[in-house]
mmCIF file of all heavy atoms in Angstrom:
data_model
loop_
_atom_site.group_PDB
_atom_site.id
_atom_site.type_symbol
_atom_site.label_atom_id
_atom_site.label_comp_id
_atom_site.label_asym_id
_atom_site.label_seq_id
_atom_site.Cartn_x
_atom_site.Cartn_y
_atom_site.Cartn_z
ATOM 1 N N ASN A 129 -61.627 -7.428 0.824
ATOM 2 C CA ASN A 129 -61.616 -6.574 -0.364
ATOM 3 C C ASN A 129 -61.293 -7.442 -1.581
ATOM 4 O O ASN A 129 -60.192 -7.959 -1.688
ATOM 5 C CB ASN A 129 -60.550 -5.476 -0.191
ATOM 6 C CG ASN A 129 -60.474 -4.546 -1.398
ATOM 7 O OD1 ASN A 129 -61.194 -4.736 -2.400
ATOM 8 N ND2 ASN A 129 -59.612 -3.549 -1.326
ATOM 9 N N VAL A 351 -9.921 -28.073 -9.212
ATOM 10 C CA VAL A 351 -11.370 -28.087 -9.200
ATOM 11 C C VAL A 351 -11.880 -26.770 -9.819
ATOM 12 O O VAL A 351 -11.301 -25.708 -9.601
ATOM 13 C CB VAL A 351 -11.904 -28.303 -7.754
ATOM 14 C CG1 VAL A 351 -11.797 -27.034 -6.921
ATOM 15 C CG2 VAL A 351 -13.299 -28.828 -7.747
ATOM 16 N N TYR A 499 -38.858 -23.701 10.879
ATOM 17 C CA TYR A 499 -38.215 -25.017 10.938
ATOM 18 C C TYR A 499 -38.033 -25.488 12.376
ATOM 19 O O TYR A 499 -37.884 -26.686 12.623
ATOM 20 C CB TYR A 499 -36.861 -24.951 10.225
ATOM 21 C CG TYR A 499 -35.884 -23.964 10.834
ATOM 22 C CD1 TYR A 499 -34.872 -24.400 11.688
ATOM 23 C CD2 TYR A 499 -35.985 -22.599 10.575
ATOM 24 C CE1 TYR A 499 -33.987 -23.501 12.252
ATOM 25 C CE2 TYR A 499 -35.098 -21.699 11.141
ATOM 26 C CZ TYR A 499 -34.101 -22.148 11.983
ATOM 27 O OH TYR A 499 -33.221 -21.252 12.548
ATOM 28 N N GLU A 531 -47.026 -27.234 8.386
ATOM 29 C CA GLU A 531 -47.477 -27.229 6.996
ATOM 30 C C GLU A 531 -47.938 -28.621 6.553
ATOM 31 O O GLU A 531 -48.924 -28.748 5.813
ATOM 32 C CB GLU A 531 -46.342 -26.731 6.093
ATOM 33 C CG GLU A 531 -46.102 -25.224 6.170
ATOM 34 C CD GLU A 531 -45.465 -24.752 7.483
ATOM 35 O OE1 GLU A 531 -45.192 -25.590 8.368
ATOM 36 O OE2 GLU A 531 -45.264 -23.542 7.637
ATOM 37 N N LYS A 645 -16.001 -51.915 -20.346
ATOM 38 C CA LYS A 645 -14.641 -51.448 -20.597
ATOM 39 C C LYS A 645 -13.831 -52.717 -20.778
ATOM 40 O O LYS A 645 -13.472 -53.393 -19.816
ATOM 41 C CB LYS A 645 -14.105 -50.647 -19.394
ATOM 42 C CG LYS A 645 -14.784 -49.331 -19.147
ATOM 43 C CD LYS A 645 -14.514 -48.302 -20.228
ATOM 44 C CE LYS A 645 -13.179 -47.618 -20.081
ATOM 45 N NZ LYS A 645 -12.797 -46.934 -21.330
ATOM 46 N N ILE A 739 -21.641 10.962 -9.863
ATOM 47 C CA ILE A 739 -22.334 10.449 -8.679
ATOM 48 C C ILE A 739 -21.338 10.323 -7.538
ATOM 49 O O ILE A 739 -20.201 9.890 -7.742
ATOM 50 C CB ILE A 739 -22.922 9.058 -8.990
ATOM 51 C CG1 ILE A 739 -24.069 9.195 -9.990
ATOM 52 C CG2 ILE A 739 -23.426 8.370 -7.730
ATOM 53 C CD1 ILE A 739 -24.494 7.877 -10.566
ATOM 54 N N THR A 761 -17.135 1.657 -4.700
ATOM 55 C CA THR A 761 -16.176 0.589 -4.424
ATOM 56 C C THR A 761 -15.207 0.454 -5.586
ATOM 57 O O THR A 761 -15.553 0.724 -6.739
ATOM 58 C CB THR A 761 -16.894 -0.757 -4.182
ATOM 59 O OG1 THR A 761 -15.905 -1.784 -3.984
ATOM 60 C CG2 THR A 761 -17.782 -1.164 -5.342
ATOM 61 N N LYS A 809 -30.272 -12.314 -13.288
ATOM 62 C CA LYS A 809 -29.119 -11.413 -13.333
ATOM 63 C C LYS A 809 -28.930 -10.728 -14.677
ATOM 64 O O LYS A 809 -27.961 -10.015 -14.871
ATOM 65 C CB LYS A 809 -27.840 -12.185 -12.980
ATOM 66 C CG LYS A 809 -27.673 -12.309 -11.477
ATOM 67 C CD LYS A 809 -27.646 -13.704 -11.038
ATOM 68 C CE LYS A 809 -27.448 -13.808 -9.532
ATOM 69 N NZ LYS A 809 -28.168 -14.979 -9.015
#
Side-chain angles (χ1 to χ4, degrees):
Chain A
N129 180 358
V351 76
Y499 61 100
E531 285 71 0
K645 292 292 280 164
I739 291 168
T761 177
K809 278 120 179 147

